[in-house]
Amino acid sequence: MMDQQYYLTDDQRAVRDLVREIARERIAPLAAHVDETGEYPHEQLKLLGQQGVMGLHIPEEYGGAAAGMLAFCLAAEEIAWACAATSTLFLVQNLGGYPIMLAGNEEQKRRFLPRLASGEITAAFSLSEAGSGSDAAAMQCAAVRKGDRYVVNGSKMWVTNGSHAGVTTVLVTTDRSKRGKGVTALLVEPGTPGFTVGKHEKKLGIHGSPTVALHFTDCEIPVENRLGEDGEGFRIAMKTLEHSRPTIGAQAVGIAQAALDAAIGYAKERRAFDQPIAAFQGIQFMLADMATAVHASRLVVHHVAGLMDRHAPSTALEASMAKCLASDTAMKVTTDAVQIFGGYGYTREFPVERFMRDAKITQIYEGTNQIQRLVIAQQLVGKL
Ligand SMILES: Cc1cc2nc3c(=O)[nH]c(=O)nc-3n(C[C@H](O)[C@H](O)[C@H](O)COP(=O)(O)OP(=O)(O)OC[C@H]3O[C@@H](n4cnc5c(N)ncnc54)[C@H](O)[C@@H]3O)c2cc1C
């Protein structure tokens, strides 16, 4: 079924097949270990970098493959099928780097994009804070302009890869009274005095993907590290999230497909009442519903990715639909896979409990699914 995608170009197929091979042979065998230990998948990311996969989305003039959004989503699905934590870090390469592509000046692009494209450095994106997630414009971490520098004070939270990134797009407020219109985007590099990495969260899933707090104490960031103008940060962040949402959908599809594949395999092997459990219609109908939902989610992800590749003027509706549908599907399908495995599904002997834990985050980050439904509804009914 996964191979019957007649609408893919030869190049897109080649990306998918290359990443599928790396993911299945080199990344999947390490996934349980990454989950068990929380070890950062250095080698897996290095491998993806060596094969040019970390720069799939980056323009050719900055060392990337300029393969487009659909190719990126195909790669994301394959990596997520193998290891959700590794795929989160792959997605953050886009989430943290896209603001530079979107709003960076030539000097900023030349400074960061080639290193991101080769995988020499990784990226992070820091919008959320302890007191502001869905309501991101209520952020408190503040920057004050002093000559040719911004002096930043405050803390950010939930920063995926914030402990390892060579560049982090950090959203700060330069005027709290203006909420979103007072937000500015700054590029922060490790080693900057006054910038430290704080608490590492202990999480339900995606264990190899570090989630950290960032602290700023009189941290001076030069004005040349500002993306766009003062007050443009929120618009840059929202555009970045819209662009990134299909990739979360692709990650969710990959996790769900892995659970479906595992469930089919187990149902054909496991016997009860002198038959493989796959012979029971109750199990067959579950598998049929799981496969239908995964297929539908994949198509919705590919559709919005295709729209983005064709530079469609507006994709907010389709991007939120893709993220919401695919992540709800991943949660349902992985939970059903655990059910099909029975008691064994609840143990770490089999990977389906990991898939279920990993799937949950796709309903939460980059805008919870409640927020996606708000975006979808606003497109339907407008501002009332
Ligand atoms: C593992 C992990 C990695 C993350 N990585 C990053 C990252 O790299 N960068 C980053 O900036 N952030 C990141 N986040 C933060 C993530 O985006 C936020 O957690 C998320 O947006 C929700 O914000 P919150 O946790 O403050 O929940 P809240 O905003 O407090 O929401 C709590 C509940 O209320 C609901 N809710 C809120 N507002 C509304 C509304 N208007 N209508 C209906 N329901 C509503 C929410 O859907 C949710 O169910 C990460 C989070 C996690 C857990």
Side-chain angles (χ1 to χ4, degrees), residues 25-47:
E25 289 178 13
R26 307 287 296 276
I27 296 177
L30 303 170
H33 174 77
V34 167
D35 178 57
E36 209 59 44
T37 60
E39 208 170 277
Y40 190 83
H42 282 291
E43 287 306 314
Q44 295 87 320
L45 296 176
K46 194 169 143 196
L47 193 60

Side-chain angles (χ1 to χ4, degrees), residues 125-128 133-134 158-160 203 206 211 361 364-368 370-371 374:
F125 175 84
S126 177
L127 175 67
S128 309
S134 304
W158 309 116
V159 190
T160 297
K203 309 189 295 290
I206 55 165
T211 312
I361 191 57
I364 295 173
Y365 59 15
E366 296 204 20
T368 65
Q370 283 83 1
I371 296 302
L374 281 184

